[in-house]
Structure formats: C-alpha cells, structure tokens
Amino acid sequence: MKYQKIRGTADILPNEGEKWSLIENKLKEILMHYYYQEARLPIFEQFELFARGVGETSDIVSKEMYDFYDKGERHLALRPEGTAGMVRAYVENKLYGPEHHKPQKYFYIGPMFRFERPQNGRMRQFHQLGVEVFGSKNAAVDAEVMTLAYVMCQSLGLKDLKLYINSLGSNEDRIQYRQALIDFLTPHFAELSKDSQERLHKNPLRVLDSKDPQDQKIVAAAPNILDYLSEESAQHFGQVQEILQALNIPYEIVPSMVRGLDYYNDTIFELVTTCDILGAGSTICGGGRYDQLVEEVGGPETPAFGFAMGLERLMILLDEADDYFANLHKLDAYVITIGQAVNAEAAKVTKALRDSGWKVEREFIGRKPGSQFKSADKLNASYVFTMGENELETGIVNMKHLETGHEVPVKLEDIYNFKLNLN
Ligand code: ATP
Ligand code: MG
C-alpha cells in the first residue's frame, strides 16, 4: 500500500515552513501596529452556519463545501472561509458586550477547505489570513482595512498591486439594481453562458464577473451599479475614497466587481496582482462591508467589515521574487569539530553563541574537516569556529570569516561570557 496526499492538499515541508513563518510573523507585526487581535477558531462548524451565513447561492456553499455527518448524525462542514465562524464566535461569546473596546478588530490565520479544481494558487486545503472589524459604520474603517491589506502586501515587497473598489449599496439599492440587471440581461438570455443563465435569477450580480468572453461582451453595456446607490451609500463610498486619497493609497473603481459571497453591502474590494504567474486566480485578497451578517447569525445589529487574503498565492508571488527568501537560512556561524574529545566543548561554544543571539549550527557526525568546511559554505555561514584538541588546551579558538578568509583567535572564555559581538 502506497499512501499519497489528498488531491488539492500540499505538504509544506521544512524549509518551506520557515518561509511561511517568516511571512506570517511579518504580517502579524503589522496587524499588531494596527491594533488587531488574534483569534483561533474551530476548523469545522455546523453546516447551517455556512449555508445561511455565506449564502446558499454562492459557489462556496452550492459547489465547494466539504460537508459531512459525524458519528452523532450532526451535519458539519470544514470551514470554506473564516468570516462565518468569526461572527458565530462573536455572537456566542457576546464579544459585543460593554466591556469590549469598540470597534472590535480581529484577525485569524488558518486552513480553509473548498472542493475546487486544483491548479496553481487554487487548492482544496489552503490558508487565509482574515481580518474582521465589528461595530462601526465609519467609512474610516473601510479605508483602514483596505489600507491594512495594501500595506501588508507592500511590506512584503509585492509590486504590480492593484486595489479595485466598488460599492454594492444598501439592500434596497441592490434589490432595485438586481431588477434592472435582470431586465437588461433577459433579452440576451440565449447568448449567455450556461453558468450565467443559471445565475440570472438566483444571483444576477454574479453574471457581471463571469469570466466567459461572450458574457463579458454583453455585460459591458449593462447598467452601472453606482447609478443605483442611495444618497447615504453614495456619500459613504465618497468618504471611503476621500480617506484613501488622504492616505495616498492608489485605487481604481470597478463597477462590475461584485465578489462571490452573498453577505456584502456598500464597499467591497479586491487586491489583485497584474503579474501573470497566478493566471486566472490573480486576486490575492478580497473583502468588504457586511452590516447584516451579525444579526443574521443571532447577534445584535452590528456593522462589520473584513477581508481574507490567500497565503498560497502570496507565497507563489514571493517565491517568484528571487531574493526574497535569500537570507532566510543564512547561519551566523558553523562550529567545526576535530576529534571526539571536543564534543562537549563544542556543545558549550555552540550554546553560548546561540545564547548571545547568534544563529549557529555545529558538526554532529564527525566528518573530515574539509567536508565540514563545505557544509559551512553550503549553509551560508558567516563565520566558522574550528574546535580541535589544541583549542581545548589553549582555551583559544580560531574564528574565520568565510567570505574574506580573515581569521582571528578568540578566547573561549569570552564566548562563554557573551563578550563576542556579532557585526
Ligand atoms: P477566486 O475568484 O479566485 O475563486 P474567491 O472569490 O473564491 O476567489 P475569496 O472567497 O474571496 O476568494 O477568498 C479570498 C482569497 O483567498 C482569494 O483572493 C484567494 O487569494 C484565496 N483563495 C480562495 N480560494 C482559494 C483556493 N481554492 N486556493 C487557494 N487560495 C484561495
Ligand atoms: Mg472561488
């Protein structure tokens, strides 16, 4: 029997794993500066939470959900996204209570599951970093969250970034627009793709972001959602833009962008890379305002705004940027050992250097000095310490800078007293 990983999953092996940590830590640091707090929530929930929360007509629920019955006949699902669970936890734990600072600003990082056709940047188990803000309708929240997403990508050195924004207006605005869209599309019904024909009455807005070229031609002349915004929604969207401008965050308004989930209203956005390695899945991050979801899940009236960022897609882009991870595995020092007698002293030197903040590896398998030097080189060590019996006797060890070949004698005592500075 030969075991294989499940299609659409990936092993993030050592080496890759370090890259993930590096990125996650960097992003967490930014999140901390923006005062977002981390939540860690269950990976499976009641099926109904997603069906109602994310919406029955969304692709995620209607086609992509990993749902199952457990041994107690409960209908459960592996989470396809993080917002529904976060809202459930918010309501269940009464995080809206007066003891909590408002608005509440949370983030999470973890695996999500969707039954999709696997390809580059599209997996069945993948990871998202998500952000949710509860309790404010202020346009400054919309702008802050979009800025945060933008700054996170920027801080990783991603170029070719585009921030696309749009407004879906209020529920009432959307009902009117929906009808206008159906009226416009119905005469073209026969020319629409099968997917779009199905969507026309269930979720006509989704026809707007169809990837079918024929659909796109028809949709190009469709009514513009921004012409259907109420005064309040138009004003809100105007303010969001004003703040983005004040912050010098470049954006483009894309009236045909609608996003795949049902719970959004007013501002929605996507961060997209114009670099073509991700193919059709060039969206790194998507999100928007969802002012009704908390109530739908049984909580008090609570406006909210959030996004989810796909970490696999981020990693693909960073792997492409050649030198992004260049220094990740670089060692400060490698400790070479000659002879079994120095085994313990080499351990002491290694630990003392590590305790002083150096990143150090040592020889463990007793190879010839030449092979050990080759390892030090391969591991990109800045310095090599050579420990032999002579060093034991004299208490002085040779420290060699590999790049320049420059060598200096160092007292073991100085290493043990942490007097050796790294520069
Ligand atoms: P797409 O149109 O690419 O399917 P989506 O609208 O389904 O995206 P969201 O539900 O908004 O995506 O999820 C936010 C982000 O999560 C996406 O922009 C993407 O970076 C990432 N993502 C979504 N689905 C997958 C997947 N199957 N594999 C890897 N990343 C994904
Ligand atoms: Mg999708």
Side-chain angles (χ1 to χ4, degrees), residues 74-86:
R74 299 170 194 90
H75 195 186
L76 307 177
L78 300 184
R79 62 184 187 191
E81 54 98 62
T83 302
M86 192 70 244

Side-chain angles (χ1 to χ4, degrees), residues 60 114 116 121-124 126 128 211 259-261 281 283-286 308-310 312-313:
I60 294 186
R114 296 184 192 177
E116 298 198 70
R122 194 176 293 286
M123 311 281 300
R124 291 182 174 172
F126 62 100
Q128 285 183 337
K211 292 182 175 108
R259 312 261 328 115
L261 315 183
T283 305
I284 305 167
C285 170
M309 187 177 276
E312 275 75 6
R313 294 190 191 173

Side-chain angles (χ1 to χ4, degrees), residues 116-153:
E116 298 198 70
R117 209 163 60 78
Q119 50 196 289
N120 195 28
R122 194 176 293 286
M123 311 281 300
R124 291 182 174 172
Q125 174 172 343
F126 62 100
H127 297 78
Q128 285 183 337
L129 184 157
V131 153
E132 321 287 352
V133 177
F134 295 108
S136 171
K137 227 184 145 28
N138 190 340
V141 166
D142 309 34
E144 174 176 293
V145 175
M146 291 191 277
T147 301
L148 172 61
Y150 193 82
V151 166
M152 288 203 299
C153 290

Side-chain angles (χ1 to χ4, degrees), residues 382-383 400-407:
S382 298
Y383 295 98
K400 180 175 182 181
H401 190 248
L402 275 185
E403 207 178 303
T404 60
H406 186 63
E407 301 185 32

Side-chain angles (χ1 to χ4, degrees), residues 142 157 185 200 232 331 387:
D142 309 34
L185 289 172
L200 182 57
E232 199 188 337
L331 283 177
M387 296 285 295

